[in-house]
């Protein structure tokens, strides 16, 4: 199994959001086996993710309260997940 992610291929132009090929879905990062977790690491299965409206500002490169998302960066988001395996004493 692989850990999917969405990355920004290039900054969108005026055709966005009708044309959304500025994003790329990647699955090149394998999900670690529970035995390979290091101390204090946890393996979480993502259940929900949120795509915030401000993402449009972040991918444009405009100044914001955080640094812009650059090409080849994963799109940040908040999410809800389920802890599948843990090597952390609190989880």
């Amino acid at each position: 199994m692989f850990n999917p992610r969405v990355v920004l291929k290039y900054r969108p132009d005026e055709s966005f959001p009708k044309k959304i090929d500025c994003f790329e879905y990647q699955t090149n990062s394998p999900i670690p086996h529970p035995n390979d977790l290091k101390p204090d690491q946890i393996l979480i299965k993502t259940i929900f993710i949120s795509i915030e409206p401000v993402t449009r500002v972040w991918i444009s490169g405009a100044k914001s309260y955080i640094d812009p998302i650059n090409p080849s960066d994963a799109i940040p988001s908040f999410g809800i997940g389920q802890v599948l395996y843990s090597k952390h004493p609190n989880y």
Side-chain angles (χ1 to χ4, degrees), residues 7 9-10 13 15-24:
V7 298
K9 287 188 343 187
Y10 61 87
D13 59 21
S15 65
F16 182 80
K18 291 181 181 179
K19 186 178 173 188
I20 60 169
D21 66 343
C22 59
F23 301 105
E24 181 175 54

Side-chain angles (χ1 to χ4, degrees), residues 1-83:
M1 294 185 76
F2 289 87
N3 188 19
R5 68 186 201 144
V6 176
V7 298
L8 183 65
K9 287 188 343 187
Y10 61 87
R11 296 206 187 282
D13 59 21
E14 64 280 346
S15 65
F16 182 80
K18 291 181 181 179
K19 186 178 173 188
I20 60 169
D21 66 343
C22 59
F23 301 105
E24 181 175 54
Y25 182 80
Q26 296 180 346
T27 57
N28 56 357
S29 175
I31 295 174
H33 188 277
N35 294 337
D36 296 332
L37 292 178
K38 295 178 178 140
D40 295 330
Q41 286 187 327
I42 57 177
L43 181 60
I44 298 174
K45 175 182 179 181
T46 302
I47 308 291
F48 297 102
I49 61 168
S50 73
I51 304 299
E52 304 299 323
V54 73
T55 302
R56 190 168 183 167
V57 174
W58 299 339
I59 65 175
S60 75
K63 273 199 124 134
S64 174
Y65 58 92
I66 66 165
D67 292 334
I69 299 170
N70 294 309
S72 79
D73 285 351
I75 306 298
S77 66
F78 294 100
I80 296 173
Q82 174 186 8
V83 175

